Amino acid sequence: MIKAVRGTRDLLPPETAVWNFVESAVRDVFRAYNFQEIRTPIFESTELFARGVGEETDIVSKEMYTWLDPPHVYEVLLRELTSADKEGRPPIVRPEFLESLGSRQSLTLRPEATAGIVRAYIEHKLWDRGLNKLYCIGPMFRRERPQKGRYRQFYQIDAEVIGPTSAGSDSPARDAELLEMLATLLDRLGIADWNLELNSVGCPNDRAAFNDALRKALEPVVGKMCADCQRRAVTNPLRVFDCKVPEDQPIIQTLPRISQFLDEGCRKHFEAVQEILKAVGVPFVLNDRLVRGLDYYTRTAFEFTHGALGAQNAILGGGRYDGLSEALGGPAAPGIGFAIGEDRLVMSLQESTTADSVVRKPDVYVAPLGAGMNVEAARLARELRRHDLVVDLGDETFRLKKSFEMATKAGAKYILIVGENEVKADAFALKNLATGEQVSIPRAELARRIKIQE
Ligand code: AMP
């Protein structure tokens, strides 16, 4: 048997109804804030992520699904390496093959959405069209160790505000608006006990000073820390704050914090974000250990967590990335965005919103009874569906008992019997499967009668 690949999974009904419920709430809420949908490709050139996400990040350095295109390079290489030439000399790799490698393009399944959206923003000069609020829903791919709430193909709901400074995209009002939108969405979905953690990671200047201070503070203690931290201390000391190893935590507690290094502009920006959040009633806690995993973040960084999720408790994360557009060869275009982990959002929802409460079961199961009845049943089903009813349709070979079983299994409210007598009378037996009540209803009244909520 061929199974789904490790770290991927099938989303089955009725759970998919919860996913649809989430996505339609997302579309409604985002619309109210004037966001519009963008759909970018599932794969992009590897360089986009190397530059946009950062070579130093875990994502780029070890989690991406990357290949050379055309993709059958490994098979060719294997052949080259294992086959002797015509004269029987030992195998060598021909120079032409090595050259052909250079002309192959390195492609990557997207591990996140921001880089692709900013690429599209630059490529299509979206600022000219006044498009500065975009969202995207879709699968992302990271080769992480699978566990509860962590998959290799997972789904993100991503939104970005990006644009020239003249459009106010650098304003703290955007940060607050985005956070308020998220609070509205979570409340609307009935996720009550979320926490918003907020920080400012400053701008590159602040960070240079902070990194120096961190390096100094780490020097005497890093030998006692985990291997990852020892590497981070050299490559990007800020990442030490991502460390989850319990033994390292007491040391991390003693390290300097970015909040002590913010310049006047960043401090004022951060204060303004907090002021608006307080005024609109969005609760938050400050967490100056929150540095986020990606290189391009500036100023505001945030994360929403949910207690019920266990170890992987982050439902969403995001922040400001004022330098990203320029890093990708575009114009100066400050931006801020977030990515919601849809898998985790659905998990945190499942207690309050069960699949049963959002799935739309058939209103009626139409049961043709006896040879030749499929035709009339098809006609009736078509009529009823035109009235926006959910109709499941049986088959004339089913005996009445089987039709009842099928209707019950499908969760239909009514069963409608289409037999020869009914067709002659042009009135049909309609039975309520919950109460057992059965009535004969003229064709013209069927839709109205089925719609009546008991
Ligand atoms: P990030 O892009 O790493 O900031 O992640 C944003 C959100 O995506 C996280 O808060 C998680 O909810 C979700 N997420 C990230 N990686 C995974 C994964 N491997 N499996 C499921 N959800 C994930």
Side-chain angles (χ1 to χ4, degrees):
M1 188 177 44
I2 299 175
K3 291 188 170 170
V5 173
R6 187 169 136 82
T8 71
R9 61 195 180 131
D10 301 303
L11 302 174
L12 303 174
E15 198 197 331
T16 41
V18 181
W19 286 70
N20 283 326
F21 167 77
V22 165
E23 287 170 21
S24 72
V26 162
R27 290 176 196 283
D28 277 2
V29 171
F30 289 9
R31 190 79 278 267
Y33 291 76
N34 197 27
F35 277 79
Q36 296 186 70
E37 184 173 9
I38 180 170
R39 300 191 190 195
T40 63
I42 301 281
F43 58 90
E44 302 259 9
S45 34
T46 304
E47 196 195 346
L48 174 68
F49 303 114
R51 273 163 58 184
V53 180
E55 311 240 29
E56 265 310 312
T57 56
D58 284 354
I59 294 181
V60 173
S61 63
K62 50 189 189 198
E63 294 171 358
M64 295 204 304
Y65 287 95
T66 295
W67 70 99
L68 289 177
D69 186 76
H72 44 271
V73 54
Y74 303 107
E75 288 84 342
V76 179
L77 181 59
L78 204 63
R79 228 171 23 238
E80 294 264 335
L81 290 175
T82 50
S83 60
D85 72 2
K86 281 194 213 96
E87 279 83 42
R89 281 183 299 231
I92 46 160
V93 178
R94 284 170 302 127
E96 305 93 88
F97 171 71
L98 291 177
E99 246 164 58
S100 81
L101 281 186
S103 65
R104 284 168 205 255
Q105 197 187 358
S106 179
L107 302 178
T108 292
L109 291 181
R110 63 182 185 194
E112 57 93 56
T114 308
I117 293 176
V118 176
R119 178 202 46 71
Y121 171 82
I122 298 166
E123 187 171 333
H124 306 289
K125 298 190 170 48
L126 294 185
W127 58 90
D128 274 350
R129 308 184 199 187
L131 289 173
N132 67 341
K133 285 172 160 178
L134 301 164
Y135 76 92
C136 169
I137 303 177
M140 307 294 153
F141 305 84
R142 293 182 197 172
R143 203 173 185 292
E144 295 188 88
R145 199 171 53 77
Q147 61 182 88
K148 185 170 178 269
R150 200 206 271 157
Y151 310 96
R152 291 179 169 179
Q153 172 172 340
F154 59 100
Y155 293 79
Q156 284 188 341
I157 299 162
D158 190 278
E160 313 289 341
V161 184
I162 179 166
T165 306
S166 58
S169 59
D170 59 339
S171 162
R174 295 291 79 72
D175 308 46
E177 186 183 19
L178 208 68
L179 290 164
E180 190 263 318
M181 175 169 89
L182 281 164
T184 302
L185 175 68
L186 295 180
D187 288 345
R188 159 111 176 237
L189 288 172
I191 297 175
D193 36 2
W194 50 263
N195 299 302
L196 164 56
E197 296 186 11
L198 201 59
N199 193 23
S200 173
V201 295
C203 32
N205 276 346
D206 307 337
R207 218 133 61 194
F210 177 51
N211 271 332
D212 283 347
L214 260 186
R215 278 208 178 86
K216 267 201 205 96
L218 280 167
E219 225 172 66
V221 290
V222 73
K224 290 180 236 150
M225 300 180 79
C226 71
D228 275 340
C229 281
Q230 302 199 10
R231 185 176 46 81
R232 292 170 180 136
V234 181
T235 55
N236 191 346
L238 205 73
R239 291 275 150 64
V240 165
F241 289 103
D242 290 340
C243 176
K244 298 273 175 350
V245 176
E247 294 76 30
D248 287 359
Q249 300 312 308
I251 298 177
I252 293 171
Q253 282 301 338
T254 66
L255 296 174
R257 299 301 166 91
I258 184 75
S259 48
Q260 303 151 358
F261 290 80
L262 298 184
D263 69 15
E264 168 106 354
C266 289
R267 207 165 28 77
K268 284 219 165 101
H269 192 276
F270 194 35
E271 280 165 7
V273 175
Q274 296 176 52
E275 191 189 340
I276 301 176
L277 288 178
K278 281 181 193 148
V280 296
V282 173
F284 61 88
V285 291
L286 296 180
N287 174 3
D288 59 7
R289 278 190 57 170
L290 185 70
V291 290
R292 310 273 310 137
L294 307 182
D295 278 347
Y296 52 65
Y297 283 105
T298 49
R299 295 191 165 172
T300 311
F302 57 86
E303 200 160 77
F304 281 72
T305 57
H306 189 262
L309 284 177
Q312 304 297 318
N313 69 350
I315 317 179
L316 71 93
R320 190 163 264 295
Y321 48 79
D322 290 344
L324 180 58
S325 171
E326 284 156 291
L328 294 179
I336 178 166
F338 61 76
I340 306 175
E342 193 174 358
D343 306 76
R344 294 189 199 164
L345 187 63
V346 168
M347 273 166 66
S348 48
L349 206 77
Q350 251 153 7
E351 277 172 19
S352 53
T353 309
T354 58
D356 271 346
S357 68
V358 291
V359 83
R360 192 166 164 207
K361 299 259 176 70
D363 297 297
V364 60
Y365 183 93
V366 175
L369 190 67
M373 289 300 121
N374 271 350
V375 174
E376 193 53 41
R379 231 182 253 147
L380 267 168
R382 186 168 160 86
E383 265 172 51
L384 295 174
R385 287 175 180 143
R386 280 204 188 121
H387 284 87
D388 197 29
L389 288 167
V390 179
V391 179
D392 207 2
L393 183 56
D395 185 79
E396 63 187 26
T397 62
F398 297 171
R399 289 167 179 279
L400 194 57
K401 181 160 176 274
K402 170 148 183 188
S403 289
F404 269 93
E405 279 167 13
M406 299 284 283
T408 307
K409 212 171 194 174
K413 220 174 296 159
Y414 291 100
I415 185 166
L416 181 72
I417 313 292
V418 185
E420 220 167 303
N421 293 340
E422 281 83 0
V423 173
K424 264 190 216 132
D426 208 28
F428 299 82
L430 183 70
K431 182 164 186 159
N432 183 320
L433 283 164
T435 64
E437 183 203 4
Q438 181 168 327
V439 279
S440 174
I441 309 286
R443 174 191 296 265
E445 281 172 37
L446 272 172
R448 195 180 49 80
R449 179 58 209 258
I450 292 168
K451 276 191 180 164
I452 296 172
Q453 295 298 320
E454 261 47 20

